[in-house]
Amino acid sequence: PTRGQIDGEMASAILRGRHGTSVTVKLARRTEQIPGVPGRPASRGQAPEVKWRQVKLVRDDILLSPVYSELLTSPAEVKGREQLVTRTGYIKLTAFNQRAAAEVAKAIEDLRDQGADRFILDLRDNPGGLVNEGLDIASLWLQPNDVLLHTINNHTMNTVKLPETATPLDGDDPLVVVVNKRTASASEILAGALKDNKRARLIGAE
C-alpha cells in the first residue's frame, strides 16, 4: 500500500479483536444514494464531493458455515402419463472446520425433508482441514465396519473402521462426489473412503 493507505490484510487485522470490544471506522461516500458509487460532479472537471461518516462497530464471534446446500429439481422420464421429477440434494463443502460434520448432517436432513432422494457432495477446491471431521462426515454415509482409512506407523499398517454401533444418516440414497485437482487432505480421505467402500461415485479431475 502507498503512504496513508492500508491493504485488505492490514484492515482485517485492525478490525479483528476480542469479543465485546469496539472499533470505529470511517466511511467515505461519494453519493447519498449508493455507497461507494461516484456521484455526478457539479460542473465539468470538478471531482465528486466526498462525504465522511464514522461508525462504531462492536466485535462479536462470527460462526462461518463451510456448507452450502440446495435442492435441485429436474424432469425425468415420462412414466405412463406422469412425468417424474428428480430431486437431488446438492451439498458444497468448502472446508473441514469444527462445524463441518454437524453442518453436513443438517444439510442432509433438511434436503431429505424437501424430498431429496439422491445427493451430490461437491469437494472441488476444498483444501482440507480437520481429518476427524472428514471421518465423521464419511460415517454419515457408510455402514458399520466399513474401512475409513489405512495408516502406517513404524512400518506397521493400521486400519481405521467404523464401529459396529455406527448408524449412517443416509446409507442408501445414490451419492456422487465431485472433485478436482485442488481437492486435498481431508477431502481426499473422505472421497477415497466413500469410493473404496463403493458408497459413492467420483467424478472430476483427480
Side-chain angles (χ1 to χ4, degrees):
T2 59
R3 185 176 181 180
Q5 294 181 331
I6 60 175
D7 59 19
E9 290 186 4
M10 294 172 63
S12 178
I14 294 171
L15 291 173
R16 286 198 297 264
R18 289 187 298 107
H19 170 82
T21 60
S22 62
V23 60
T24 300
V25 297
K26 196 172 184 179
L27 307 177
R29 301 182 65 179
R30 296 183 182 273
T31 174
E32 289 296 328
Q33 286 73 36
I34 307 175
V37 176
R40 181 174 296 177
S43 61
R44 189 172 183 179
Q46 181 180 348
E49 180 184 0
V50 177
K51 295 185 178 181
W52 295 90
R53 180 186 177 192
Q54 284 196 167
V55 179
K56 185 177 181 180
L57 305 175
V58 178
R59 297 182 176 98
D60 200 353
D61 295 326
I62 300 176
L63 300 177
L64 299 178
S65 173
V67 172
Y68 167 80
S69 62
E70 180 182 359
L71 182 69
L72 307 176
T73 60
S74 60
E77 72 276 4
V78 176
K79 187 175 183 180
R81 294 185 177 181
E82 181 182 2
Q83 186 178 41
L84 302 179
V85 176
T86 61
R87 293 178 172 83
T88 303
Y90 172 80
I91 300 174
K92 171 69 175 177
L93 180 61
T94 59
F96 291 82
N97 62 14
Q98 294 91 337
R99 296 167 54 87
E103 291 290 330
V104 171
K106 182 177 183 301
I108 293 173
E109 292 178 329
D110 289 346
L111 290 167
R112 292 183 74 179
D113 288 344
Q114 298 176 56
D117 56 6
R118 63 198 68 194
F119 288 88
I120 296 173
L121 177 62
D122 191 346
L123 297 178
R124 289 176 295 179
D125 302 318
N126 186 323
L130 301 177
V131 173
N132 285 340
E133 288 293 312
L135 300 181
D136 288 344
I137 293 172
S139 70
L140 299 174
W141 277 294
L142 296 178
Q143 299 293 331
N145 291 319
D146 279 351
V147 175
L148 293 174
L149 79 160
H150 299 286
T151 62
I152 298 178
N153 185 20
N154 294 328
H155 305 289
T156 301
M157 178 175 288
N158 300 307
T159 299
V160 179
K161 295 183 178 182
L162 276 177
E164 294 183 359
T165 55
T167 303
L169 183 61
D170 183 14
D172 301 315
D173 294 328
L175 174 64
V176 170
V177 179
V178 187
V179 298
N180 64 8
K181 293 182 179 180
R182 290 179 293 277
T183 300
S185 185
S187 292
E188 293 179 293
I189 294 174
L190 171 57
L194 294 173
K195 177 185 177 183
D196 292 346
N197 287 287
K198 297 180 172 56
R199 179 61 186 86
R201 177 184 177 188
L202 262 61
I203 62 173
E206 298 185 53

